[in-house]
Amino acid sequence: MANNIAGSPWTDHVFKAMAELRGLEYSRAELSREQSDDFDKLLSASAALEALLADLDEHSEHNLRNVLGAMRGYAELLCEDLTAIHSNLHAVLQRLLKAITSAASDNSALRSLQVVDEAESGTILAVDDTAENLDLLGRYLTRSGHRVLTASSGAQALELLEHNSIDTVLLDLIMPGMDGNEVLNRIKANAEWRAIPVIVISGRQDMEGIITCIEAGADDYLFKPFNPVLLQARIKAGLERKRWHDLEDQYRQQLERNEAFIRSTFGRYVSDEIVANLLEQPEGLSLGGDLREVTILMSDIRKFSTICENLAPENVMKLLNTYLGTMSDIIMAHQGTVDEFIGDGILAIFGAPISRDDDTERAVQCALEMQAAVATINREYVEAGLPEVTMGIGVNTGTVVAGNIGSEKRSKYGIVGHHVNLTARIEERTAGGEILVSQSTLEKLPTGFTTGRREQVKVKGINKSVDIIQITAAPVTGAVSDV
């Protein structure tokens, strides 16, 4: 464009219009202070244009677009502000705008003057080393309802980004010192800034440079002198992208908070592995169930009701919480699921919702460790002035229905079926400190477990007699199995 400036027809039209404006100095007295300032800036830009045309060089195209942009901007602001009593001045300004538009007609990004649509507001950072450009950008955008911050250098822009929440950046490419490319690279390299849309404003129609910027992360571009409608459209699109990103970020943070809540809440009852499984497969929280083989563990403190009669309520809760807390930790350490607390009773499942080959062995190992922990608990009770306790544990293996039970509003993961009742009956037969298992459980244990008494009992609700066996110790290396 700069190579064809001298002698171009549009220059005559621009300077003719400017000469007319200077000839209307008498109208200045009717202008407001702000309008008069804009008039002075328009005249200064015109003088800069004359100086530029007198000494063209390789930077002329970029500088020319800056100057034309300033002239157009101040002319548009004056046209917008002037009333009917300034009709002569208004008409000359319109001719000037037409001439400037003609001057930039080779720029496909420029169109005829249009009314700027209202846009959703945001905080815009405009970066340009030309004071007139910053002034115009600030005025345009402020009138559209935006909050505008301006920076005359790359270093100042980065400082403003550091201390302000920015929605969109308008970035001039050609600046002394830190140019627009370096500012863009720093924005996109910063984890906190990279989502901010950057609209590059270039005084050169250098498509290769624009493509480089887009590849570096710029979201859009405009050529100088910019069209207000196009500028508003670019900003609107940038604000929309930023808002979607912010909304996505809010959703992500909410999901992280929800996940943390789920882990902290359900993590008290089931292992971390089960919580992770539910988070990865939320469909597992839907109502319904399936048949699966599990090993069920039930424990109960012997004569707990009698113990409670002689204790104050707060001591009952202290005793119970100490006991249940210790036992829950042991169950989860063995990858079991604490299905339910019923007073002092515990129902735990091994094999649901996650099934493993060694479910039965882990359940019995867990029962042995639970009994061993009673001694430690009792020492704490004695130190706190609480009575000692004993516990019985029943273990049984069989097929149950496992899944979420309840309603859409309130449900729990659990198991139902004949073997749940059978486990309860086995547990009822235990003495303090004893572990009794069913024949089905014993058959699935590996060799090495030490057994004690055996008996065949008739239990309530079950027609056939049930074989129950006492487990007294886990396998020891080199030991001979009693199983």
Side-chain angles (χ1 to χ4, degrees), residues 164 170 222 294 365 417 445:
N164 295 273
L170 299 178
L222 281 171
V294 299
Q365 291 277 15
L445 290 177

Side-chain angles (χ1 to χ4, degrees), residues 295-300 302 392-398 418-431 434-442 453 455 457-460 462 465-471:
T295 296
I296 308 162
L297 182 153
M298 286 189 181
S299 68
D300 194 66
R302 301 284 78 108
I393 300 176
V395 183
N396 175 45
T397 302
H418 158 75
H419 283 282
V420 179
N421 296 328
L422 177 56
T423 308
R425 301 294 178 253
I426 294 173
E427 185 272 320
E428 290 172 355
R429 305 285 299 189
T430 61
E434 191 173 39
I435 301 170
L436 295 178
V437 304
S438 64
Q439 182 65 35
S440 59
T441 296
L442 186 67
R453 67 183 179 92
E455 63 177 307
V457 298
K458 186 77 173 177
V459 296
K460 183 179 178 180
I462 299 174
S465 297
V466 176
D467 292 325
I468 56 177
I469 304 95
Q470 181 187 30
I471 299 293

Side-chain angles (χ1 to χ4, degrees), residues 2 20 28 47 70 98 106 138 154 164 168 199-200 203 210 263 271 296 321 353 358 370 406 414 429 454 476:
E20 288 185 76
R28 295 281 299 274
K98 183 177 179 180
D106 60 328
N164 295 273
T168 299
I199 301 172
V200 170
I210 292 297
R263 288 187 182 278
S271 67
I296 308 162
N321 288 337
D358 62 343
M370 288 169 67
R429 305 285 299 189
R454 299 167 180 253
V476 178

